[in-house]
Amino acid sequence: MAEPVIRVEGLKWKYEGSRDWVLRGVDLEIHQGEFVGIVGPNDSGKTTLAMSLNGLVPNNYPGVMEGRVVVDGMDTREHSVAEIAESVGFVFPDPESQFLSMTVEEEVVFALENRGFPREEIEERMWWALELTNIPEDYLEKPPYELSGGEKQRVAIASVLAMRPKIIVLDEPTSMLDPIGKTEVIEVLTEMKRRYNATVIVIEHRLEDIAPLADKMVLVYRGTIPKVAPPREFFQDVDFLLEHDVFPPDVMVLVNELRRRGLYDGPVPMTVDEAEGVVREILGRR
Amino acid sequence: MGEAVRVDHISYVYPDGTVGLKEATLTIQEGEFLAFIGQNGSGKTTLSKNISGLLKPTTGDVWVFGRNTREAPMSELATLVGYIFQNPDHQLFNQTVYDEIAYGPRNLKLPEEEVEERVTEAMRIVGLDESYREEHPFFLSKGLRQRVAIASILAMRPRVIIVDEPTTGQDFKQSIDIMDFLTMLNREHGHTIIIITHDMPIVAKYAERTVAMADGRILLDGPTREVFAQAEVLARANIKPPQITRLAQRLGDLGIPPNVLSIEEMADLIESAVKGGS
Amino acid sequence: MPTKMRRSLLGYLPVDSPIFSLHPMTRLLFLLIVSAYPMIVRLPELNVAGSIFMLALFKVSKVDLRVIKNYKMAFVNLFFVIAIAYTFFGGYNPDYRVLIKLGPVKVCWENLRWATVVYIQLIFAILIMIFFLSTMRERDIVVGLRALRVPFVLAYMAGLALRSIGLSIIDFNTIREAEKARALDLQALPFSEKVKKFGMYIVPLVALAIRRSDEVSNALDSRGFRFTGLRSGRRTDYILSKYRMTRLDYAVLAGMGVFLAGIVLISVYTDWLALENSLLYRI
């Protein structure tokens, strides 16, 4: 297998002033083009792990770090966040907290201007990013603050996508959104997977939406990674996830319960569609 | 149990001309546990703020425990309906946790001994350790700040408590903790609870009654089970019932009812269908 | 909404407002040049004419005149503040014409006249400022400053500062609502208490501002923004390049400049603009 695009080795991190390690020895390898879902309870270190992938940790936060993180050949301790930003795009949970300008157009081209791309290329990349995130042209002069939650986060994603980074890290991109907004963002993620061969890393509580998209699921729990597996394998042991404060989608828990009651012995379904099939199979046997 | 809130054909227009509510009517009995659901801009927050007296209806009237919100002073309304904002940072303006929680009772001009008693009680209920009393709220973690915000409302002992998005940004376990806490307030202390939320599984698990809103109107109002069964009406308001309910709604031809709310219930239905059929 | 609106610093402006056909730099210079008029000219007649001209500009630019109506009371109060200030501290001279005697205080025509002159000057200046704020967007300010070769970092900071004022106003309103929810009856409070309450708002406002500035600095880094001093190096001015100075811009700039130069010359070499020429001074 080719060299991984992200390699985390024995990563430990402690914020200045806190007693405990937030990350207590994390190892992780991610390959180019993989779509990775990271799950786990709050305060388990997910956000810290995400921020260590683009160098915000350790560069922008005071603290103690052990081990190393190499992203696209760059050791995060030896490169600035702005340098790493050429390879890694980062989307924050609260769309409003990451807006840097007062019109959508400025927002989407901001990073491209920073990189000093020629005018024509900026224009071309801007249209490409807007199209992928389904943002209409007449939004260009609108303040991003006045859009709906889902639109806001799509603009935030577009302004990261415009850089065409090799790697995109999204930290709970839907957690502040209403259900329509969540669906819009998940649709954009689906488009990204389909049309843009980047490495996508998403931290997400809504497993229902992320399970069918991911190539690989990562469980973060109390500063460690107790499980990494493709989704079908990852979700088979529902009880293991529940013990780690992760609540898999309803239909998985249901089928797990049916297995416990001896009504079924096949694999756990990933989607409502598959679950419908399972229930029909069970009831069809009578 | 008497009537807690009566919303009588109210409309609300914001100063910039946006219509927030159109002809909303609703009665809430004391001791109920309700959820207001709907997309952003559907009017659920506007309705809640009208109930709490933070906004006064443009037309129509709101009565809380027999008092018209237009006439009752805020100092009285705040003891009837407490409103907990989503972002704790907007509601913490004192230098210590103690002063923060004492702020409401002091505005009510209560004697200092009673203020002290209420602060102690509120801190105990939300599970804030006494050692936090002299801490500056700004330096606490987000979870603790949220608790201080809740305690500062509880200290006024409002009979109705409205909570805006209690589970947003919380994980599964934290959400359960918060909702169990609100259930405790409802069952053991007799508070009427209204949650404003997008979290449908939480609504299914905790709310007895659900009010679904769209475009400033009340679309559906009834027991949660009945509201979630109306898949088509909800779809028009862009509301998606919990995954387990959606699964049930696809299996109508197999005799599964469309109003299933929990995994346990669904498993029981399937089990009895298998056993009954064999 | 029937016509599409664009958010300005102080409200909304229809997309088809003619003001948008001017380059942001022209509009920025408008503020700088036109505000010089009321500073140079004291003659109330000219300042009244200037104010009327501004009102006409509001109309032409399709600014909602309600913006000004919101400041109605402020305009009235301002006059009283100035009139009272000059009555008390304007001094007294035996030739002054005393209008009324209120105990030891002599209300003199000379002082009131001076107050009126200053007031009208201020009104003109305030109208210019309101016009500027209600027609400019943050984007226009950044582009305008960039066109004037102001380093990007400074132009961006200026925009950011303006935005943070806007966000703080929104925060402020939410905080006041949260206070109401905690049984605070603002109307029932004596004035001194009200002032104290305003002090309290500082805590959450600063808290929110600190959290926000942390977030912005993280976001700036994550988008590859490098603070390399005032020279922006290889940064592309994409947004700026979308604007072109037109003949209209040059005409407006030239007009404003010539007018300003004229006024400066007239006030230096003639006494046409002297206050003694005002009707107020012939009464």
Side-chain angles (χ1 to χ4, degrees):
Chain A
M1 204 168 205
E3 183 69 1
V5 71
I6 293 178
R7 203 169 54 229
V8 180
E9 285 170 359
L11 176 63
K12 288 173 111 183
W13 173 262
K14 181 158 72 176
Y15 288 99
E16 192 179 273
S18 83
R19 241 174 306 137
D20 307 319
W21 293 97
V22 180
L23 296 176
R24 304 183 298 157
V26 164
D27 295 283
L28 184 65
E29 281 189 0
I30 293 171
H31 291 91
Q32 181 62 39
E34 272 187 314
F35 196 112
V36 181
I38 298 185
V39 302
N42 281 354
D43 306 322
S44 60
K46 292 184 310 245
T47 291
T48 307
L49 177 61
M51 289 196 300
S52 65
L53 299 182
N54 83 330
L56 279 173
V57 166
N59 291 309
N60 281 26
Y61 291 89
V64 186
M65 177 169 162
E66 284 176 24
R68 63 189 207 126
V69 178
V70 182
V71 180
D72 197 18
M74 290 178 278
D75 187 315
T76 56
R77 279 208 263 209
E78 285 152 21
H79 291 82
S80 71
V81 179
E83 279 167 343
I84 299 170
E86 304 206 355
S87 298
V88 186
F90 199 93
V91 177
F92 295 85
D94 179 2
E96 284 199 11
S97 75
Q98 55 197 307
F99 288 143
L100 298 171
S101 345
M102 284 298 277
T103 61
V104 169
E105 183 177 28
E106 285 170 280
E107 191 63 31
V108 178
V109 302
F110 190 88
L112 302 173
E113 290 184 307
N114 287 339
R115 296 272 295 275
F117 284 121
R119 233 193 135 259
E120 302 69 40
E121 187 170 354
I122 290 182
E123 181 136 19
E124 189 239 299
R125 282 167 173 251
M126 178 185 79
W127 288 120
W128 173 78
L130 291 175
E131 197 259 331
L132 193 65
T133 49
N134 202 16
I135 296 164
E137 184 179 351
D138 61 339
Y139 277 31
L140 282 184
E141 298 232 1
K142 281 195 185 182
Y145 291 90
E146 295 190 355
L147 306 177
S148 75
E151 289 168 344
K152 281 179 193 160
Q153 197 58 296
R154 274 153 53 203
V155 169
I157 295 175
S159 36
V160 165
L161 272 179
M163 291 188 277
R164 295 202 186 132
K166 258 189 182 169
I167 302 156
I168 298 184
V169 180
L170 304 99
D171 183 9
E172 300 195 28
T174 72
S175 69
M176 308 295 280
L177 308 180
D178 65 0
I180 293 193
K182 290 188 203 290
T183 310
E184 286 171 15
V185 167
I186 297 293
E187 274 164 10
V188 169
L189 292 178
T190 313
E191 272 306 284
M192 275 164 57
K193 182 177 166 75
R194 197 169 67 84
R195 288 173 40 194
Y196 177 52
N197 182 34
T199 307
V200 181
I201 298 160
V202 195
I203 296 180
E204 185 56 65
H205 285 304
R206 299 277 143 168
L207 304 181
E208 176 183 343
D209 299 311
I210 220 67
L213 285 177
D215 301 314
K216 179 154 133 187
M217 297 293 299
V218 176
L219 172 64
V220 180
Y221 186 73
R222 293 192 185 159
T224 59
I225 296 186
K227 190 167 195 169
V228 179
R232 287 200 184 271
E233 192 186 321
F234 186 84
F235 285 108
Q236 281 318 305
D237 194 347
V238 169
D239 295 324
F240 178 83
L241 295 175
L242 288 170
E243 279 159 26
H244 290 82
D245 295 336
V246 169
F247 197 79
D250 287 356
V251 295
M252 297 187 189
V253 181
L254 172 75
V255 171
N256 188 53
E257 177 64 22
L258 296 175
R259 287 202 294 204
R260 197 197 326 267
R261 295 186 188 192
L263 298 169
Y264 178 71
D265 57 3
V268 158
M270 292 291 112
T271 60
V272 178
D273 277 339
E274 289 181 23
E276 184 184 347
V278 169
V279 177
R280 285 188 186 282
E281 190 195 317
I282 296 173
L283 293 182
R285 278 189 309 225
R286 352 172 233 190
Chain B
M1 292 259 168
E3 173 188 286
V5 177
R6 182 150 48 90
V7 175
D8 189 7
H9 293 91
I10 65 164
S11 296
Y12 186 83
V13 183
Y14 282 95
D16 68 354
T18 318
V19 180
L21 272 182
K22 296 171 198 159
E23 287 288 309
T25 294
L26 164 89
T27 309
I28 300 171
Q29 299 299 321
E30 210 172 347
E32 282 195 273
F33 197 126
L34 288 88
F36 288 178
I37 61 171
Q39 293 302 321
N40 288 342
S42 62
K44 53 191 194 315
T45 300
T46 313
L47 176 60
S48 315
K49 287 190 176 168
N50 271 283
I51 291 174
S52 66
L54 289 173
L55 298 176
K56 313 290 181 200
T58 310
T59 60
D61 289 290
V62 176
W63 308 81
V64 285
F65 298 97
R67 299 285 278 138
N68 191 320
T69 59
R70 279 181 216 283
E71 286 149 18
M74 213 50 225
S75 53
E76 186 185 347
L77 288 175
T79 63
L80 301 176
V81 186
Y83 191 100
I84 299 172
F85 288 75
Q86 193 186 340
N87 185 349
D89 290 336
H90 282 125
Q91 45 196 328
L92 302 178
F93 19 70
N94 289 278
Q95 311 286 338
T96 67
V97 167
Y98 182 87
D99 286 341
E100 194 62 59
I101 303 172
Y103 183 79
R106 283 178 183 156
N107 279 335
L108 297 175
K109 309 260 186 303
L110 297 173
E112 201 56 33
E113 308 87 74
E114 185 166 359
V115 171
E116 163 100 45
E117 190 191 308
R118 288 194 175 199
V119 172
T120 311
E121 182 199 64
M123 286 182 73
R124 184 176 50 76
I125 298 178
V126 301
L128 266 175
D129 194 82
E130 283 286 313
S131 62
Y132 287 116
R133 277 169 85 117
E134 298 306 316
E135 295 269 323
H136 199 300
F138 176 74
F139 297 107
L140 299 178
S141 72
K142 178 139 189 176
L144 287 174
R145 296 205 302 277
Q146 190 74 47
R147 286 190 201 192
V148 175
I150 296 176
S152 66
I153 293 295
L154 285 183
M156 291 183 295
R157 297 197 182 139
R159 292 156 79 181
V160 178
I161 299 175
I162 303 178
V163 197
D164 194 353
E165 303 270 3
T167 61
T168 295
Q170 310 285 340
D171 64 27
F172 158 65
K173 192 164 170 294
Q174 291 166 328
S175 300
I176 298 285
D177 285 347
I178 292 170
M179 294 311 298
D180 283 347
F181 168 68
L182 293 176
T183 306
M184 186 271 288
L185 288 179
N186 176 249
R187 302 230 173 110
E188 289 168 29
H189 297 255
H191 292 281
T192 306
I193 308 280
I194 302 174
I195 57 169
I196 307 170
T197 187
H198 294 304
D199 196 335
M200 296 308 140
I202 287 292
V203 175
K205 194 164 154 58
Y206 291 94
E208 297 151 6
R209 174 177 166 193
T210 295
V211 175
M213 303 194 60
D215 296 325
R217 289 178 201 281
I218 294 178
L219 210 62
L220 292 169
D221 175 4
T224 302
R225 190 174 285 283
E226 286 169 26
V227 169
F228 278 145
Q230 311 247 18
E232 278 153 38
V233 185
L234 290 177
R236 265 189 280 136
N238 277 306
I239 299 170
K240 235 166 145 187
Q243 201 187 29
I244 198 74
T245 313
R246 278 182 281 139
L247 175 64
Q249 287 166 356
R250 289 168 171 225
L251 298 166
D253 60 310
L254 296 177
I256 307 277
N259 61 2
V260 175
L261 290 184
S262 75
I263 294 166
E264 195 67 14
E265 192 185 340
M266 185 72 172
D268 289 346
L269 281 166
I270 295 170
E271 189 170 15
S272 64
V274 171
K275 302 236 161 98
S278 61
Chain C
M1 242 179 275
T3 43
K4 284 199 177 160
M5 307 292 266
R6 275 180 190 166
R7 179 111 182 94
S8 69
L9 292 168
L10 203 73
Y12 288 89
L13 203 58
V15 178
D16 59 354
S17 164
I19 197 80
F20 287 120
S21 47
L22 288 174
H23 193 287
M25 182 177 82
T26 311
R27 287 148 59 196
L28 192 64
L29 286 172
F30 175 89
L31 173 76
L32 300 180
I33 298 175
V34 179
S35 346
Y37 299 153
M39 286 184 217
I40 298 169
V41 179
R42 288 214 180 272
L43 198 65
E45 282 82 350
L46 274 185
N47 283 328
V48 167
S51 302
I52 293 172
F53 172 73
M54 284 314 298
L55 289 177
L57 266 190
F58 273 95
K59 196 88 199 146
V60 171
S61 315
K62 302 190 176 176
V63 178
D64 193 339
L65 284 171
R66 267 183 301 188
V67 176
I68 302 175
K69 285 194 191 122
N70 290 341
Y71 295 94
K72 207 167 48 189
M73 277 319 289
F75 282 132
V76 175
N77 288 338
L78 183 65
F79 180 75
F80 283 108
V81 169
I82 295 175
I84 290 168
Y86 278 104
T87 298
F88 277 96
F89 308 111
Y92 177 71
N93 187 310
D95 340 322
Y96 279 9
R97 279 173 277 175
V98 177
L99 298 176
I100 324 165
K101 261 188 166 168
L102 300 167
V105 182
K106 299 190 184 79
V107 180
C108 302
W109 162 245
E110 279 71 14
N111 284 335
L112 280 187
R113 183 173 65 189
W114 184 243
T116 310
V117 168
V118 172
Y119 176 68
I120 294 177
Q121 240 180 322
L122 271 178
I123 290 289
F124 184 18
I126 292 172
L127 284 177
I128 295 169
M129 200 64 208
I130 296 180
F131 179 78
F132 177 76
L133 293 177
S134 39
T135 54
M136 289 296 268
R137 299 172 298 159
E138 188 184 308
R139 172 186 175 123
D140 299 327
I141 290 181
V142 175
V143 170
L145 288 172
R146 284 300 293 142
L148 290 170
R149 303 272 176 273
V150 172
F152 176 77
V153 176
L154 295 184
Y156 184 70
M157 290 303 158
L160 209 56
L162 284 168
R163 187 187 336 157
S164 67
I165 294 171
L167 290 174
S168 290
I169 291 172
I170 297 172
D171 286 337
F172 178 72
N173 288 329
T174 317
I175 293 165
R176 286 186 64 158
E177 225 175 29
E179 257 201 340
K180 263 166 82 186
R182 301 265 286 283
L184 182 76
D185 250 323
L186 259 190
Q187 277 115 358
L189 284 180
F191 183 72
S192 63
E193 284 295 308
K194 264 184 211 170
V195 172
K196 250 204 223 153
K197 292 292 168 212
F198 271 89
M200 287 185 69
Y201 297 137
I202 302 293
V203 177
L205 281 179
V206 170
L208 287 159
I210 290 175
R211 288 192 212 287
R212 217 170 261 141
S213 75
D214 269 357
E215 289 167 350
V216 168
S217 82
N218 272 351
L220 277 170
D221 278 338
S222 305
R223 297 263 196 98
F225 180 77
R226 277 170 219 183
F227 184 79
T228 47
L230 294 182
R231 266 169 228 273
S232 35
R234 54 182 185 146
R235 199 173 195 283
T236 316
D237 264 318
Y238 173 76
I239 298 286
L240 175 61
S241 73
K242 295 190 69 178
Y243 293 87
R244 287 267 169 276
M245 290 289 281
T246 62
R247 259 182 253 166
L248 182 66
D249 286 297
Y250 292 115
V252 170
L253 284 176
M256 290 190 299
V258 167
F259 204 88
L260 183 64
I263 284 189
V264 170
L265 290 177
I266 290 171
S267 64
V268 170
Y269 292 105
T270 73
D271 52 6
W272 299 345
L273 296 179
L275 272 176
E276 287 66 38
N277 296 332
S278 166
L279 278 176
L280 280 177
Y281 282 75
R282 302 206 182 137
I283 302 171

